[in-house]
Amino acid sequence: MTRSTRSLNGVLLGVLAGGLALGLWYASTHYALPEVSATASGSSAQDAGSADPERQEADAFAQLVLETLRTAGLQGEPRYDPEQFLIQLPAVNGQEPLTLFLSNFHDEYRAAPPERRGHVLQRLLRLNALPELPDTYEAVRPALLPVLRPRSYFELLGLLQTGAGPASGKVPVAWRPLGEVMAVALVHDTPDAMRYITSDQLASWGVSFEQASAVALENLRLRSPEPLETLAPGTCRSTWNDSYAASRLLLDEVLRRCPVKGQPVVLIPNRDLLLLTGSQDEQGQLLVAQWAERALATPRPMDGRALRRTSEGWVPFLPEPGSEARPAFHRLAMSSEARDYSEQEQRLNQQHEQQGVDLFVAGFLPQEDEHGRIFSQAVWVKGIDTLLPRVDLIVFMDSARGPEAPPVAMVRWDMVMRDAGHLLVPQKGLYPVRYRLAGFPSEEQLARWKQNPSAMDVP
């Protein structure tokens, strides 16, 4: 991100803070992504964050990890990348280099009592000593399991793997989307870690993702005889604590253990918690929303977006307008969407800075107005090359009017798409979706929107 783009971000956030109250707290969790290689950032990145207490704490944790690795006899010299908060370990004895993504471990370390923090570091050491994946499919089959993660987990990995291919040593994890916002991948489960299965590995074994998934599901089924715990009639939670509780939503027989009102609705706020209620059970929905909110505040959160099981499969779910449970579900869903866009914005800015591209990546800004309505907004500035997120409300600004000038219009997304959709070009390969702006609405169009009393109506 260039200096001008950084300045633009600061100015726009200041304008919005002055005109609208930012009343929605959301989690900015950084996922610990699977193994990929990465280039370490230079000292300038560390200097830029030296005055930030959070960065200082994160850097101190990274140095502790580095010292622990060296004390344990690590061969070669690891490299710390403060911008992506990872440690790149050297290749040893012909094995692939390993990347340690530190965010989740840092969260666990901070949350643990002092006497347990050494165990977090020991888990990192065991990751460094993981054995190689077995050579044959028959050897891998008994330990194959399915894992559920937010779709953005793997889409962000794709951004990190720009230019991936055999020459770079970067191989993509095999995964499939589920319910639009989630994804299913396969892992080789060991006592110390999950090793993701790549597309190249499946090809080398001569099996498809679907064939391996069927084996993984059967392995999970054999591990899942326990009943669900009833929280209220028609509302249940999982009892497994094996990092695969969320994956049980793939097993119909598990869901049938909790008879629900309407269609099954699930929340999976972390990998060890599956919450289940019904699409026609308002009190059950309120109960699982409370559980999900607490779980998302703990280390290693997953996602706050609910899914509903239909005859066509899983789809995102929000209670009907007017439902007492809708605000809680909406807030949970928006917190995860905001996190996804924030992570994507960070990765895109890093790429643009490395490539010398001056392209403004507009922020996804959750808001809560004086009536308690929750919505998202983004800023569209005249004359600025921009990637815009999909939001509820677009704030139009004209920088030529001066830094103190108010927005020239604030308009609902659907109305903008209807009247000026040709100016928003969806960008292939980006999830969550972003649009490259191809101009600015005319003065006449802006005036028509401002005269429309429903232009600013939000959910």
Side-chain angles (χ1 to χ4, degrees):
M1 181 170 55
T2 66
R3 185 186 304 273
S4 62
T5 306
R6 287 196 188 94
S7 300
L8 179 59
N9 260 319
V11 170
L12 296 181
L13 287 173
V15 170
L16 290 174
L20 291 168
L22 181 60
L24 179 66
W25 175 90
Y26 67 92
S28 58
T29 304
H30 296 271
Y31 294 124
L33 298 173
E35 297 176 18
V36 296
S37 37
T39 302
S41 300
S43 59
S44 60
Q46 292 174 299
D47 295 341
S50 61
D52 182 350
E54 291 188 3
R55 167 58 64 81
Q56 289 177 327
E57 182 185 1
D59 289 345
F61 176 73
Q63 293 305 316
L64 178 60
V65 172
L66 289 170
E67 292 170 10
T68 303
L69 290 168
R70 294 183 182 114
T71 301
L74 175 70
Q75 299 181 44
E77 183 60 28
R79 295 184 299 163
Y80 171 47
D81 181 345
E83 286 298 312
Q84 299 190 51
F85 199 30
L86 59 82
I87 291 175
Q88 181 73 58
L89 301 178
V92 177
N93 298 328
Q95 297 183 7
E96 291 292 329
L98 179 67
T99 301
L100 299 179
F101 290 87
L102 300 177
S103 292
N104 283 337
F105 288 105
H106 187 211
D107 289 343
E108 289 184 3
Y109 186 84
R110 289 188 297 182
E115 66 274 11
R116 296 290 301 174
R117 289 180 172 177
H119 293 273
V120 178
L121 297 175
Q122 288 300 316
R123 288 181 56 222
L124 277 165
L125 290 179
R126 290 197 296 271
L127 284 177
N128 182 43
L130 282 179
E132 286 294 289
L133 195 69
D135 292 331
T136 67
Y137 180 56
E138 289 305 314
V140 170
R141 279 178 60 113
L144 275 181
L145 287 172
V147 292
L148 239 66
R149 298 290 181 267
R151 179 177 171 181
S152 60
Y153 183 97
F154 301 107
E155 297 282 3
L156 284 171
L157 180 60
L159 285 180
L160 285 172
Q161 290 177 320
T162 300
S168 66
K170 303 173 186 177
V171 287
V173 172
W175 62 277
R176 297 290 186 273
L178 177 79
E180 298 182 25
V181 297
M182 301 301 294
V184 181
L186 302 173
V187 297
H188 179 246
D189 184 67
T190 71
D192 293 321
M194 306 171 182
R195 186 185 293 273
Y196 282 85
I197 304 300
T198 69
S199 301
D200 285 356
Q201 286 163 340
L202 291 174
S204 71
W205 295 327
V207 298
S208 67
F209 182 89
E210 289 69 28
Q211 289 171 321
S213 293
V215 171
L217 278 176
E218 185 57 32
N219 290 340
L220 182 65
R221 185 171 286 112
L222 295 174
R223 298 187 181 197
S224 309
E226 294 85 0
L228 298 171
E229 177 184 337
T230 300
L231 300 177
T235 300
C236 305
R237 75 174 182 96
S238 59
T239 56
W240 299 279
N241 190 30
D242 60 358
S243 297
Y244 295 98
S247 302
R248 264 81 177 197
L249 71 79
L250 301 171
L251 300 175
D252 289 341
E253 65 269 27
V254 169
L255 301 183
R256 287 195 292 267
R257 294 172 196 169
C258 185
V260 300
K261 301 175 185 177
Q263 295 173 314
V265 170
V266 298
L267 277 163
I268 42 178
N270 64 50
R271 63 183 67 177
D272 279 323
L273 183 59
L274 171 66
L275 297 164
L276 175 63
T277 190
S279 59
Q280 299 175 15
D281 188 347
E282 186 173 72
Q283 293 306 308
Q285 292 165 18
L286 284 169
L287 182 57
V288 295
Q290 293 171 2
W291 274 79
E293 185 175 359
R294 291 195 297 268
L296 285 169
T298 62
R300 293 186 180 269
M302 191 180 309
D303 205 83
R305 287 167 287 202
L307 298 176
R308 174 172 59 93
R309 179 66 182 271
T310 72
S311 58
E312 303 299 321
W314 292 101
V315 297
F317 171 79
L318 277 179
E320 293 294 324
S323 167
E324 187 180 353
R326 185 178 176 91
F329 273 66
H330 194 185
R331 185 182 296 271
L332 287 167
M334 189 169 290
S335 71
S336 293
E337 190 175 10
R339 177 208 57 208
D340 288 353
Y341 269 119
S342 177
E343 289 277 0
Q344 182 194 61
E345 178 185 350
Q346 177 185 347
R347 301 299 183 195
L348 288 172
N349 282 333
Q350 289 171 354
Q351 282 191 0
H352 296 163
E353 188 162 15
Q354 292 168 0
Q355 298 164 1
V357 175
D358 193 3
L359 178 59
F360 177 53
V361 184
F364 177 98
L365 305 172
Q367 305 286 333
E368 183 173 20
D369 67 11
E370 65 274 15
H371 304 293
R373 297 181 302 176
I374 301 168
F375 59 97
S376 59
Q377 62 181 20
V379 180
W380 183 338
V381 184
K382 185 175 183 179
I384 301 295
D385 195 6
T386 300
L387 287 176
L388 196 74
R390 167 69 170 85
V391 290
D392 296 317
L393 190 71
I394 298 178
V395 179
F396 292 93
M397 298 183 66
D398 186 351
S399 56
R401 301 190 180 198
E404 303 299 326
V408 295
M410 301 175 69
V411 188
R412 294 194 333 257
W413 179 270
D414 63 312
M415 190 174 290
V416 174
M417 290 297 292
R418 182 195 68 192
D419 299 335
H422 62 286
L423 298 177
L424 294 104
V425 182
Q427 299 299 285
K428 293 182 180 179
L430 288 184
Y431 178 89
V433 63
R434 282 189 183 268
Y435 300 80
R436 188 83 173 256
L437 302 183
F440 197 75
S442 66
E443 292 294 332
E444 293 76 16
Q445 181 62 72
L446 292 167
R448 286 195 295 271
W449 283 331
K450 292 175 72 173
Q451 293 169 3
N452 189 328
S454 68
M456 283 188 61
D457 288 348
V458 295

